[in-house]
Amino acid sequence: MKDLLTVRNLTKSFDENGPVVDSLDFEVKEHEIFALLGPSGCGKTTCLRLISGFERADHGEVRIDGHLLESPDHHVAPQDRGIGFVFQDYALFPHLSVIDNVAFGLTDIPKHKRHVYAEEVLCRTGMGDYKDRNPSELSGGQQQRVALARAIAPKPKLVLLDEPFSNLDAMLRDSMRKEVRDILKKAGMSALLVTHDQEEALSFADRIAVMNDGHIEQVGTPEEVYYNPKTKFVAQFLGRTNIFHADANGSSEVNTNLGALRLNADAKGHVLCSIRPEHLTLEKPTNQKPEEVGTVLGREFKGHDITYHVKLSGEKYLVHTDNRVLFEPNDAVVIKPLESAVILEDED
Ligand code: ATP
């Protein structure tokens, strides 16, 4: 697929505290849903504001379809960038009806056709029956659909979504994510989502850039960043994990507290590793040596699965099993790896 949005060396500082967006490089392809994922304050919204034209860049550039939109000495106004925007609080015009909210940006269409087309787009987002209401007469999920209809109606090349699901309750959030993704995919639009919610990024996006402190740590598909994190930050931000050091001898197997463990690549020397709790399981001890037997410290029962906290050779491990693996606190257990551990870049 062709690159639609290209971001190169994008950098922005607000004060002497250094860049809040630091040399960002990524691209969003045509028809792709891409997420910028990171903790609060890591610079996601600032990046979105630089792409949409609400903020000026100190260094670097933003292009759509090869056309320069932003650089230190070039600035295309937000309304001329061909970008749609769905804000966290939806930002609907309170004094306009639903249909007028959507028709508002359709300046390229003759006036008499705007309402017909706006209604068509509202129907696509399931809001056709609500066209004459005011935004204050809608639920959060309905306002969300109108905001999306307004953003996609002018057929922008790219839609930016700034934490668009954060004001919805958990049940609605799940269904809206799926609906919005389906609408964007059917419309063949590219989208850039900003979120601090890893589950949202993993389930909504085709690819994810994981951000930390102004820079991107890793870009990949949800599966790549989850199963093959490159850094400790990515491993820990994407979900719970076990981090440990091991001494490798040039092969892809190491001896650890967990016994012989496979690695995702050959390695030599002291390496930092991560293994997800669901890639470990627990068994009853049989004839293991005492140092190979751990103790259950506690467990979190979640119905369909259980997370165990286990102490082994002075280290604590998380083990995530299905609900048929049943142990009690203080039980003696053996931790069995089910998958390879992943080698991380060691910053120490
Ligand atoms: P959140 O998830 O909480 O919205 P974020 O990752 O989107 O966070 P930004 O809103 O981009 O982060 O903010 C990054 C940093 O830049 C923060 O430390 C913030 O205080 C600072 N910042 C953002 N806008 C401005 C501004 N206009 N003036 C000064 N500092 C700012």
Side-chain angles (χ1 to χ4, degrees):
M1 268 188 292
K2 217 177 101 193
D3 291 344
L4 176 72
L5 172 76
T6 46
V7 171
R8 293 283 172 262
N9 191 31
L10 193 63
T11 304
K12 174 77 183 171
S13 303
F14 289 107
D15 47 36
E16 65 288 349
N17 292 328
V20 299
V21 166
D22 191 1
S23 317
L24 290 197
D25 271 307
F26 64 93
E27 49 288 321
V28 178
K29 298 178 188 303
E30 277 182 343
H31 315 300
E32 184 179 46
I33 299 181
F34 190 92
L36 280 178
L37 169 70
S40 181
C42 75
K44 309 177 294 288
T45 300
T46 304
C47 175
L48 221 56
R49 288 173 61 78
L50 288 163
I51 293 168
S52 56
F54 295 115
E55 210 69 73
R56 293 299 317 270
D58 296 340
H59 302 287
E61 58 178 47
V62 175
R63 288 176 189 267
I64 282 196
D65 259 346
H67 300 295
L68 185 62
L69 300 182
E70 183 69 31
S71 73
D73 38 36
H74 188 85
H75 177 75
V76 175
Q79 64 274 18
D80 299 326
R81 292 192 173 200
I83 291 177
F85 213 118
V86 179
F87 297 90
Q88 193 169 356
D89 58 0
Y90 319 130
L92 297 173
F93 306 120
H95 56 290
L96 295 184
S97 65
V98 163
I99 193 154
D100 283 336
N101 259 281
V102 178
F104 183 83
L106 300 176
T107 45
D108 287 349
I109 299 180
K111 249 189 177 154
H112 66 281
K113 288 190 183 161
R114 284 182 200 165
H115 271 204
V116 178
Y117 179 62
E119 187 169 351
E120 202 182 300
V121 182
L122 279 168
C123 288
R124 255 193 274 158
T125 63
M127 288 303 291
D129 292 343
Y130 298 83
K131 65 183 169 64
D132 297 321
R133 290 209 191 168
N134 272 345
S136 61
E137 297 165 329
L138 300 176
S139 71
Q142 291 165 340
Q143 289 185 45
Q144 162 81 277
R145 286 195 198 111
V146 177
L148 183 68
R150 188 179 62 177
I152 66 175
K155 299 190 179 129
K157 294 198 167 119
L158 175 72
V159 181
L160 305 180
L161 305 149
D162 189 2
E163 307 253 8
F165 308 107
S166 58
N167 287 333
L168 305 175
D169 66 51
M171 286 273 279
L172 190 57
R173 197 155 53 219
D174 283 353
S175 59
M176 280 308 293
R177 265 185 218 150
K178 192 179 170 319
E179 271 185 43
V180 171
R181 187 180 152 86
D182 288 350
I183 292 166
L184 290 168
K185 286 289 174 189
K186 268 196 198 125
M189 268 174 201
S190 304
L192 175 56
L193 167 83
V194 153
T195 182
H196 61 264
D197 180 336
Q198 68 274 26
E199 202 182 299
E200 185 157 296
L202 290 170
S203 61
F204 190 77
D206 300 320
R207 283 191 310 143
I208 299 173
V210 185
M211 272 185 83
N212 179 22
D213 203 12
H215 67 274
I216 291 177
E217 296 242 339
Q218 188 173 354
V219 180
T221 64
E223 290 79 4
E224 279 164 358
V225 292
Y226 185 81
Y227 289 120
N228 281 306
K230 287 210 160 44
T231 65
K232 186 175 171 183
F233 175 83
V234 175
Q236 291 179 323
F237 195 71
L238 266 291
R240 295 167 105 177
T241 197
N242 296 289
I243 304 275
F244 55 91
H245 278 98
D247 289 312
N249 62 6
S251 77
S252 62
E253 197 169 278
V254 281
N255 282 319
T256 69
N257 285 342
L258 304 171
L261 188 64
R262 272 180 298 123
L263 299 175
N264 63 331
D266 291 349
K268 204 168 172 60
H270 204 51
V271 285
L272 186 67
C273 304
S274 159
I275 189 162
R276 295 270 177 221
E278 67 269 29
H279 289 167
L280 299 172
T281 193
L282 296 180
E283 290 178 2
K284 274 189 187 154
T286 46
N287 52 0
Q288 281 80 7
K289 295 180 200 145
E291 64 270 25
E292 293 169 349
V293 177
T295 308
V296 174
L297 296 176
R299 63 177 204 168
E300 299 163 33
F301 179 71
K302 288 171 250 163
H304 43 64
D305 48 42
I306 307 174
T307 301
Y308 288 99
H309 297 252
V310 179
K311 193 162 186 186
L312 175 67
S313 305
E315 300 289 333
K316 286 182 189 163
Y317 294 90
L318 288 174
V319 181
H320 197 77
T321 70
D322 70 41
N323 58 11
R324 289 166 301 181
V325 180
L326 286 173
F327 289 98
E328 298 292 333
N330 299 320
D331 278 355
V333 285
V334 176
I335 303 178
K336 291 276 179 189
L338 300 171
E339 299 288 340
S340 308
V342 177
I343 303 166
L344 305 173
E345 287 166 13
D346 202 345
E347 311 103 35
D348 304 335

